[in-house]
Amino acid sequence: SDLATIRTSPEDAARTQRELATTTERQAFRIRKMQSDLKGAQAGLLRAEKLASVGQLAAGIAHEIGNPIGVILGMSEILKDSDDPGQSRTFAAQIHAATLRVHATLKDLLAFARPVREEGAFADVAAVIDQTLNLLQPHRVFSGIRAAVRIDDAPLSAEIRPSQLQQVLVNLLLNAADATGGKGRVDIHARRDDRFVEIRVIDDGPGIPPEDQ
C-alpha cells in the first residue's frame, strides 16, 4: 500500500502541474483578451469624442465660412459685368483672400477630424496650442474670447500624441468659452514641472458652484 502511494505520488504531482499550467494559460489568455477589449473600447471612446467635437466645431464655423463665400459670390457676380480693369483686379484680390480664408478654416478642421496615422509619441506643446487656437478662432462661441498664451522653458515636449493633446485642449477651451458666454479671457500657461509638463487653462467665468463640484 505504501509502495503504491509512493509510485503514484510523482504521477499525481505531474498531473497537478499540467492542470495548473493549463489553468494559468487560460487565465493569461483571458487577461490578454480583456486588455485587447479595453484598448478597443478606449479607441472607440476617443473616436466618438473626436466626432462629437468635430460636429460641434463644424456647426460653429458655418458662419465663418458663410461670410467669405458671400463675398466671393457677390464680387464674382459684379466681375462678370465689369469693364474696369482696376476694379476687376481689386475684386479678384478680395475673392482670392476670401477663398484662402475658407480654405484655411476647412484645412484645420479636416486635419483635426481625420484619423492620425504614423503619429509620433511626443508633442511640441507650443505648436499644438497654436494649432488648437487656429482651429477654434473661427468658432462662433470662441470669436469673442481673448486668449493669452504663456510658454515657459520653451521648447516644451510632452510624451503624448499631438492629436490626443489637441483633443484635450479643444475640450477645455470650448468649455472655457461656454463658461464665459463667448465673451471673456482664457489664459493658457505651459511650463516644465520636474519630469512633467503642466498645462493650465484658466478662464474668467463664474466657475462651478461648490455644491456641484
Side-chain angles (χ1 to χ4, degrees):
S1 175
D2 292 341
L3 183 59
T5 300
I6 292 173
R7 286 175 178 172
T8 56
S9 291
E11 296 175 1
D12 291 342
R15 183 167 54 252
T16 301
Q17 188 173 7
R18 287 195 299 272
E19 290 173 354
L20 180 61
T22 301
T23 301
T24 302
E25 187 177 347
R26 287 174 180 168
Q27 289 176 341
F29 174 77
R30 292 193 186 103
I31 291 172
R32 288 195 298 270
K33 188 175 186 307
M34 288 173 62
Q35 289 174 333
S36 177
D37 290 345
L38 283 172
K39 286 182 180 178
Q42 183 186 35
L45 285 172
L46 289 172
R47 282 194 297 271
E49 185 178 8
K50 174 160 282 193
L51 285 174
S53 298
V54 169
Q56 189 176 0
L57 290 170
I61 65 173
H63 78 290
E64 177 68 13
I65 293 176
N67 290 338
I69 286 179
V71 170
I72 292 168
L73 289 174
M75 291 189 171
S76 61
E77 187 70 25
I78 296 172
L79 274 178
K80 287 194 307 181
D81 302 319
S82 176
D83 295 326
D84 184 345
Q87 184 186 57
S88 296
R89 283 193 297 272
T90 300
F91 282 6
Q94 293 181 10
I95 288 173
H96 181 69
T99 304
L100 288 177
R101 185 175 163 192
V102 173
H103 175 71
T105 300
L106 290 178
K107 182 181 176 183
D108 289 340
L109 181 61
L110 290 174
F112 175 70
R114 75 167 58 94
V116 179
R117 303 182 188 280
E118 299 180 1
E119 186 181 26
F122 286 86
D124 180 335
V125 174
V128 173
I129 290 174
D130 187 56
Q131 291 164 5
T132 305
L133 288 175
N134 287 339
L135 174 69
L136 292 178
Q137 287 297 345
H139 197 284
R140 182 175 51 222
V141 177
F142 211 78
S143 59
I145 296 294
R146 302 184 312 279
V149 179
R150 192 169 96 234
I151 309 290
D152 295 347
D153 307 314
L156 284 180
S157 178
E159 191 175 354
I160 183 174
R161 295 184 182 278
S163 62
Q164 293 176 332
L165 177 57
Q166 187 176 36
Q167 177 68 62
V168 173
L169 289 172
V170 164
N171 291 349
L172 289 173
L173 289 169
L174 284 180
N175 286 343
D178 184 63
T180 59
K183 296 179 181 178
R185 177 186 173 93
V186 177
D187 292 318
I188 306 168
H189 180 202
R191 69 183 185 92
R192 197 182 311 281
D193 183 9
D194 192 19
R195 296 184 300 109
F196 302 96
V197 173
E198 179 186 73
I199 303 174
R200 293 191 176 197
V201 178
I202 305 169
D203 63 68
D204 59 0
I208 303 173
E211 63 272 16
D212 294 336
Q213 291 184 11

